[in-house]
Amino acid sequence: MVNINWLSHTLLTVQHAMKSMSYRKKNTLTMLLVLAFGFCLVFLFQGIKQQLIDTIDRYSLQSDLIISKETPAMPLVLFSLFHVGSPPAKMSLSLLGELISHPEIEYAIPYAYGETHRGITVIGTSTEGIERLNRQVASSSGNPERKHQKQISPETLPSTNHFMTAYIGVNIANDLGYKINDQITIADGSEPGSEQEYKELFTIAGILPRQNSHQDDRIYIPIDGLITARKQHAEGNTTSWSSPDDIAFIDIKLRDRMALLALEKKLTQSASKQGLAITAAIPARELELLYGYLNRASVSLIFISLVILGLCLLTLFYALTSNLQERRQEIRLYQTLGMSQKYIGIMALLEPLLIISSALCLGFVFSNMLSTYTADFFLIKWLIN
């Protein structure tokens, strides 16, 4: 059975504590914001660390091997997975035909760069590459934009008879107002003039699902369509590529990852025999090194945020101690009105508890609001540096 008398005293104590805090609005608000800032930092950096770990884990399982013209492995992995940095030097896809026909390879997805559309990066890839883009949905079911996007089905994927198609990121569709069956042109170079524009038109066949990544701001076209457009443009024009089938890298998925190290060595040796200087990078190995760097950095940030939080709590303690000394008359008034020493003490404890709990909630809410944007910022900045 509820003790009505105890409940009424508790409510009265809370009410008095709230009124007491309202008399010192500036001090209370300052302490609340300072403490909320400390909690926000702790939650924010912990959230960033977890998001970075999840991102690295997801990408490390996405690709088994990445092949490009000879280039350092880490920059190659960072560009191919995160689009950080510059694309590696171009190489001819036809020269790699024998290498990527190994029986241990489940599929090999080429990626070609060099074209743009109104300043937007255009990427040439295979049917498997476009299918994989459609499968890698970051937030499919809860995303309201998915309701307005046409799902990419096998019927809308490029075929050997119709490969002059394009698949655009959701941000491009929203910003430029493009829809299915609209036609677009592409051009050679990042800042092309009218003479660099290809004659072939590409029909938008699908809008890729939102990934909250670089995919949302890219245009993907079938590699066969890109090669056809390049061949048409090469007649009488200067190009940034030496061969129409030039690509930046090939993303390889194996049937069995146990064969990864042996295949890496074999591909490198086979390329050397053919006079090709290639890099066969293992994303899992490179991202493991990256994870170590990011983990140390995030742990340092969390430690700094805990120090700041400790200083905030210390400031709160001294501020409340100072307030108690200034409130002697207020305490004497409560005693005169018959309030016991016990409830005066409880009221004095309630004020910091209310401030701390409110600051905890505010810090948690703000850290959740900022974590996605700050995680992307830290990921990109750290990877670039």
Side-chain angles (χ1 to χ4, degrees):
M1 190 173 181
V2 180
N3 189 329
I4 303 298
N5 189 45
W6 176 85
L7 183 60
S8 62
H9 278 297
T10 302
L11 293 174
L12 184 63
T13 305
V14 173
Q15 185 178 3
H16 279 297
M18 296 293 290
K19 285 184 178 180
S20 178
M21 291 167 60
S22 67
Y23 295 148
R24 294 175 299 281
K25 291 181 180 178
K26 291 184 179 180
N27 290 340
T28 301
L29 185 59
T30 301
M31 289 186 290
L32 178 64
L33 292 178
V34 169
L35 200 55
F37 175 72
F39 281 121
C40 181
L41 285 180
V42 174
F43 291 132
L44 182 61
F45 289 134
Q46 183 61 39
I48 290 173
K49 179 183 176 182
Q50 189 58 48
Q51 287 192 41
L52 292 177
I53 292 173
D54 293 342
T55 300
I56 290 175
D57 288 343
R58 184 172 70 252
Y59 279 109
S60 65
L61 298 174
Q62 181 176 315
S63 304
D64 292 331
L65 201 61
I66 298 173
I67 295 178
S68 76
K69 198 168 184 177
E70 193 172 27
T71 186
M74 180 65 80
L76 173 60
V77 170
L78 295 184
F79 178 80
S80 61
L81 298 184
F82 303 103
H83 276 222
V84 174
S86 302
K90 296 181 176 66
M91 58 182 177
S92 177
L93 179 60
S94 59
L95 296 178
L96 298 172
E98 294 183 10
L99 295 179
I100 60 178
S101 61
H102 195 279
E104 289 289 345
I105 296 177
E106 182 178 352
Y107 58 76
I109 302 175
Y111 289 91
Y113 290 78
E115 281 73 22
T116 56
H117 167 73
R118 297 175 63 174
I120 300 167
T121 300
V122 176
I123 302 172
T125 187
S126 62
T127 303
E128 292 85 357
I130 295 174
E131 286 178 338
R132 189 166 74 169
L133 291 170
N134 191 48
R135 289 196 300 267
Q136 296 168 2
V137 183
S139 53
S140 57
S141 59
N143 188 355
E145 293 185 34
R146 292 277 289 174
K147 298 177 182 178
H148 306 290
Q149 296 175 13
K150 181 178 178 179
Q151 293 291 328
I152 300 176
S153 62
E155 289 75 17
T156 63
L157 287 169
S159 65
T160 54
N161 296 323
H162 185 62
F163 44 74
M164 306 307 293
T165 54
Y167 300 83
I168 64 176
V170 63
N171 289 342
I172 300 172
N174 293 338
D175 296 341
L176 301 182
Y178 286 158
K179 299 177 182 178
I180 305 297
N181 295 325
D182 286 351
Q183 290 187 319
I184 61 173
T185 60
I186 64 173
D188 185 20
S190 57
E191 295 180 357
S194 57
E195 65 277 6
Q196 275 84 41
E197 191 168 279
Y198 295 167
K199 299 176 182 179
E200 298 286 344
L201 295 176
F202 290 82
T203 303
I204 297 176
I207 299 174
L208 298 169
R210 180 173 292 282
Q211 295 280 336
N212 294 321
S213 67
H214 57 78
Q215 175 186 309
D216 300 336
D217 301 288
R218 300 288 188 268
I219 296 174
Y220 294 84
I221 61 177
I223 190 73
D224 292 335
L226 178 61
I227 292 173
T228 300
R230 283 177 173 179
K231 288 179 178 178
Q232 292 286 337
H233 180 72
E235 299 175 0
N237 293 293
T238 303
T239 63
S240 63
W241 32 265
S242 56
S243 175
D245 67 341
D246 276 355
I247 60 170
F249 62 90
I250 295 179
D251 192 342
I252 291 177
K253 189 72 175 177
L254 303 183
R255 302 183 190 279
D256 185 0
R257 299 192 80 180
M258 296 296 291
L260 181 57
L261 294 176
L263 183 61
E264 176 199 17
K265 184 177 180 180
K266 187 170 183 179
L267 290 177
T268 306
Q269 292 175 347
S270 299
S272 298
K273 291 178 181 178
Q274 299 178 31
L276 298 175
I278 68 167
T279 295
I282 301 176
R285 182 169 59 194
E286 302 302 324
L287 291 178
E288 184 68 25
L289 295 174
L290 177 65
Y291 169 74
Y293 301 142
L294 295 181
N295 186 55
R296 285 193 289 272
S298 61
V299 168
S300 300
L301 289 174
I302 292 174
F303 175 75
I304 293 172
S305 64
L306 288 173
V307 172
I308 294 174
L309 179 60
L311 293 175
C312 293
L313 290 171
L314 191 62
T315 303
L316 176 63
F317 171 76
Y318 281 114
L320 291 173
T321 303
S322 176
N323 283 340
L324 286 175
Q325 293 177 354
E326 295 174 358
R327 292 166 54 194
R328 290 178 181 175
Q329 291 184 350
E330 182 182 341
I331 293 173
R332 288 177 186 150
L333 178 61
Y334 287 142
Q335 290 174 338
T336 303
L337 295 173
M339 183 175 287
S340 66
Q341 193 71 27
K342 174 183 175 182
Y343 282 101
I344 292 176
I346 293 173
M347 189 176 68
L349 287 173
L350 271 177
E351 289 191 28
L353 288 176
L354 287 172
I355 293 174
I356 291 173
S357 59
S358 300
L360 184 65
C361 294
L362 283 175
F364 181 76
V365 170
F366 282 119
S367 67
N368 281 344
M369 292 170 61
L370 296 172
S371 61
T372 301
Y373 303 103
T374 49
D376 293 340
F377 172 80
F378 277 109
L379 181 63
I380 292 173
K381 289 297 181 183
W382 287 345
L383 291 180
I384 290 176
N385 295 329

